[in-house]
Amino acid sequence: MEERFQWILEKLKRMISLKSLRTRVFLLIMLAGIVPSIMMRYGILNNYEKRAVDLRAATVQSQLKIVANHLTSNNYLSNYTSEEQSFLASADVIEAELEMLSNLYEGRVMIINRNCRIVKDVYGISQGKTMISEEVIKCLRGENTVHYDKEHGFIEMTTPIVRTVTESDGKTKTQVIEGVMLTSVSNDSIVATMDILSQKAMTLECIMILIIVFLAYLVSLFITRPFEKVAEQFKQVKEGFKEDTVSVPDYAETVHIVEAFNEIVKKMKAQDQSRQEFVANVSHELKTPMTSLKVLADSLVMQENVPAELYKEFMTDMVSEIDRENQIITDLLALVKLENSVQQLNVATINVNDMTELILKRLRPIARKKDIEVTFESKRVVEASIDEVKVTQILTNLVENAIKYNIDHGWVKVILDADHQYFTFEVSDCGMGIPEESLSHIFERFYRVDKSHSREIGGTGLGLAITRSAVLAHKGSITVTSTVGEGTTFKVKIPLKYIPE
Ligand code: ADP
């Protein structure tokens, strides 16, 4: 129960985390869906309000224009005397019209003459007072104004009362503004419609949001599913339930990820196999001298009255087996050390000519035993930034092999050359050569062309593996050409300047 709760909590945490692709897709779809729907609601409501106000203003204005015409035709304003603040003639009809207009549009109409005096206020409050406002002045100059005061809930508009006067020439007609009708009508009906509309839009929007949330959840689940599949399959491989390579072909991206993963797994498997082979080889190689030792010791133990000469002979054999065991261990340690310290080269500027001379001087006594002539041909003076110990090991191994696998009275030739980037040395011999099928294997650990012969000579099969590791550590290359019965040539190419990564 607790585990299930933990699992749900974990899932929820992963879902809510902003780092999760699913959360991001979900939020993006939500944003893309909800923001336009909110904007649409505001847009529609605002547009409706503007249009409703314009329509109402236009309707009232047209009514006011009719009343304004009646005012001029009845000389309503000219009948007003400012001293008495009343109308000389009866204007009942006009007033009834104004009253009706006021009731119809729930508004207030004021008639203002050119002197800015309010000659009629349907509410009867401001009659006789002076009204100087920007709108009134503008209107007296012939400009209609409409102002919507949303806060106080009314539309205020001005309508000029225009009289058309025929000039003395009887033709020209001019328009004289006699006064202004200042009207304010309520926007209650607009607000009521807006409320209903807003409520409906709100309900619609809520439904839309619910649908969008549901859709966003489904789409985000669907889009990220292949990535979850990738993670699941990786986990299965990690836990050992799945041996085969992973495959999620849903997206190009998952294919790339999975391909990279398969590549790594393949590499790791190959590494693991090579490690196992190495361990098996090491055990086997170390066991061989031990077995010989045991056989020799047993035969001595089991025989009685063994003559002293036989003891001596067996003991000498045992010493040579111990030496061999020692040699294998020394080579193994050298190889392991080299592979562990590939990155740590002890680089210094070395005269390669001098170094080669010294190595050959050390090896010539061994060559002399088989009457082998070791020659050195230097094409130029070579100064290089290298790890002296490791390059000495390379050259020593190659020349040692050239002597070991040579014929009596043979020769070994070392040629040193360089270009502007690399220096090369070739180690050739006139020995037994290497069969073609073995050429690709000789750099493998413990590989020997002829095991018994190599053992006789004292080889461990690790020399070329050590050499290759040392060459690679210098970012160089090593190649070999050989003809059986004629001889072998190893060619090593190393950069003059070591550039660390
Ligand atoms: P080993 O310690 O046995 O010499 P190496 O790794 O140095 O091991 O060499 C691997 C094998 O390659 C040797 O056993 C030998 O058969 C072959 N080999 C190496 N160098 C030469 C050479 N110059 N001529 C002929 N065979 C060679």
Side-chain angles (χ1 to χ4, degrees):
M1 189 68 188
E2 196 155 289
E3 252 178 39
R4 180 123 196 105
F5 179 69
Q6 283 277 339
W7 182 79
I8 293 171
L9 211 73
E10 199 57 39
K11 265 244 166 239
L12 264 176
K13 251 194 213 165
R14 260 175 55 200
M15 265 199 71
I16 291 165
S17 156
L18 260 183
K19 279 204 161 175
S20 139
L21 177 66
R22 184 181 290 178
T23 314
R24 287 184 189 189
V25 172
F26 178 77
L27 289 178
L28 264 177
I29 298 171
M30 288 267 290
L31 271 180
I34 291 172
V35 170
S37 84
I38 293 175
M39 274 166 61
M40 218 160 76
R41 179 164 66 88
Y42 270 102
I44 289 173
L45 286 179
N46 277 346
N47 202 29
Y48 167 76
E49 188 177 27
K50 197 173 169 303
R51 276 195 56 78
V53 168
D54 287 351
L55 202 75
R56 196 167 172 81
T59 319
V60 178
Q61 284 271 25
S62 69
Q63 294 291 326
L64 286 170
K65 268 188 193 137
I66 297 168
V67 178
N69 286 342
H70 287 173
L71 290 175
T72 42
S73 56
N74 285 324
N75 293 327
Y76 185 79
L77 284 170
S78 38
N79 285 342
Y80 178 78
T81 56
S82 53
E83 294 80 28
E84 291 169 29
Q85 292 190 2
S86 64
F87 294 95
L88 293 175
S90 152
D92 285 349
V93 186
I94 303 281
E95 276 177 21
E97 249 178 76
L98 287 173
E99 202 70 39
M100 202 185 73
L101 207 67
S102 160
N103 287 337
L104 193 65
Y105 296 109
E106 298 165 72
R108 179 183 185 181
V109 185
M110 287 189 277
I111 297 170
I112 301 157
N113 68 10
R114 280 203 70 82
N115 302 327
C116 298
R117 170 83 37 102
I118 301 168
V119 297
K120 175 73 190 167
D121 175 4
V122 276
Y123 285 5
I125 307 165
S126 306
Q127 220 148 285
K129 290 182 183 162
T130 306
M131 159 72 80
I132 302 169
S133 76
E134 201 187 325
E135 284 80 14
V136 172
I137 309 286
K138 268 188 187 168
C139 191
L140 281 172
R141 287 195 196 128
E143 205 180 306
N144 280 17
T145 60
V146 175
H147 167 67
Y148 177 45
D149 189 334
K150 195 173 176 173
E151 206 178 318
H152 298 103
F154 64 84
I155 309 164
E156 193 181 68
M157 64 198 93
T158 53
T159 321
I161 304 164
V162 184
R163 178 184 290 280
T164 312
V165 185
T166 314
E167 294 291 315
S168 48
D169 59 6
K171 276 184 187 168
T172 326
K173 287 186 175 172
T174 40
Q175 298 209 313
V176 180
I177 295 170
E178 286 190 332
V180 173
M181 292 175 83
L182 179 65
T183 318
S184 49
V185 289
S186 146
N187 73 340
D188 284 355
S189 60
I190 297 174
V191 169
T193 320
M194 287 267 293
D195 280 349
I196 295 169
L197 254 177
S198 169
Q199 259 179 22
K200 282 194 173 163
M202 211 45 170
T203 320
L204 215 73
E205 199 178 292
C206 284
I207 295 170
M208 258 176 84
I209 288 175
L210 278 179
I211 294 172
I212 289 166
V213 168
F214 181 65
L215 273 179
Y217 176 73
L218 278 188
V219 173
S220 65
L221 207 73
F222 179 74
I223 285 181
T224 53
R225 185 76 200 111
F227 292 102
E228 302 254 323
K229 257 204 254 172
V230 171
E232 262 166 42
Q233 293 203 18
F234 283 1
K235 203 168 153 219
Q236 280 178 4
V237 173
K238 194 181 102 190
E239 286 170 357
F241 296 122
K242 205 170 151 59
E243 268 291 325
D244 295 327
T245 45
V246 175
S247 157
V248 184
D250 305 37
Y251 296 145
E253 286 80 0
T254 53
V255 171
H256 290 326
I257 296 172
V258 159
E259 268 174 8
F261 177 80
N262 288 341
E263 225 20 71
I264 293 171
V265 170
K266 209 166 127 192
K267 219 169 160 181
M268 274 165 61
K269 269 188 185 163
Q271 268 177 4
D272 199 41
Q273 200 180 345
S274 131
R275 212 195 64 230
Q276 279 175 9
E277 269 173 25
F278 182 57
V279 172
N281 285 342
V282 169
S283 319
H284 177 77
E285 293 299 325
L286 290 176
K287 231 182 130 194
T288 318
M290 287 300 224
T291 317
S292 305
L293 268 175
K294 184 157 169 50
V295 170
L296 287 166
D298 272 353
S299 48
L300 281 182
V301 170
M302 273 164 17
Q303 280 184 49
E304 275 176 30
N305 304 322
V306 184
E309 303 88 63
L310 202 68
Y311 252 112
K312 196 159 188 238
E313 195 192 322
F314 274 37
M315 280 300 176
T316 318
D317 286 351
M318 283 162 89
V319 166
S320 86
E321 286 302 331
I322 290 169
D323 281 346
R324 183 167 167 71
E325 183 94 15
N326 224 347
Q327 184 60 47
I328 296 172
I329 292 169
T330 312
D331 278 1
L332 263 176
L333 285 177
L335 185 69
V336 170
K337 205 170 141 201
L338 207 94
E339 286 184 350
N340 280 346
S341 63
V342 168
Q343 308 296 342
Q344 305 156 9
L345 286 189
N346 219 342
V347 176
T349 306
I350 306 290
N351 183 315
V352 185
N353 301 64
D354 292 349
M355 188 192 78
T356 314
E357 294 276 15
L358 201 75
I359 294 166
L360 296 186
K361 199 173 151 197
R362 276 207 307 256
L363 293 173
R364 273 198 187 103
I366 308 170
R368 222 168 284 139
K369 284 185 196 160
K370 282 168 86 179
D371 190 26
I372 292 168
E373 188 193 8
V374 180
T375 55
F376 174 42
E377 186 184 326
S378 167
K379 302 240 168 156
R380 64 199 74 236
V381 176
V382 179
E383 296 260 346
S385 308
I386 47 171
D387 183 324
E388 191 180 4
V389 178
K390 289 194 174 91
V391 177
T392 301
Q393 205 162 25
I394 296 170
L395 200 56
T396 308
N397 281 352
L398 292 179
V399 178
E400 251 178 10
N401 276 354
I403 296 168
K404 270 196 307 193
Y405 301 104
N406 215 323
I407 45 166
D408 287 350
H409 321 295
W411 53 262
V412 173
K413 194 157 140 194
V414 179
I415 304 172
L416 176 67
D417 197 2
D419 58 16
H420 66 289
Q421 233 181 329
Y422 297 93
F423 72 92
T424 54
F425 45 78
E426 269 180 38
V427 180
S428 323
D429 63 63
C430 62
M432 59 181 71
I434 303 165
E436 209 181 327
E437 65 274 14
S438 296
L439 279 178
S440 55
H441 298 291
I442 52 168
F443 296 106
E444 288 169 12
R445 292 171 293 206
F446 296 114
Y447 183 84
R448 277 156 294 178
V449 176
D450 179 348
K451 279 207 182 231
S452 56
H453 183 71
S454 173
R455 197 178 137 82
E456 241 170 61
I457 293 174
T460 59
L462 290 170
L464 285 180
I466 295 172
T467 307
R468 186 170 169 269
S469 284
V471 172
L472 293 185
H474 280 86
K475 295 184 181 142
S477 66
I478 179 164
T479 51
V480 57
T481 49
S482 184
T483 314
V484 176
E486 281 184 21
T488 309
T489 301
F490 281 92
K491 199 167 176 178
V492 175
K493 192 171 171 183
I494 291 176
L496 286 168
K497 232 179 169 56
Y498 174 75
I499 301 159
E501 307 225 345

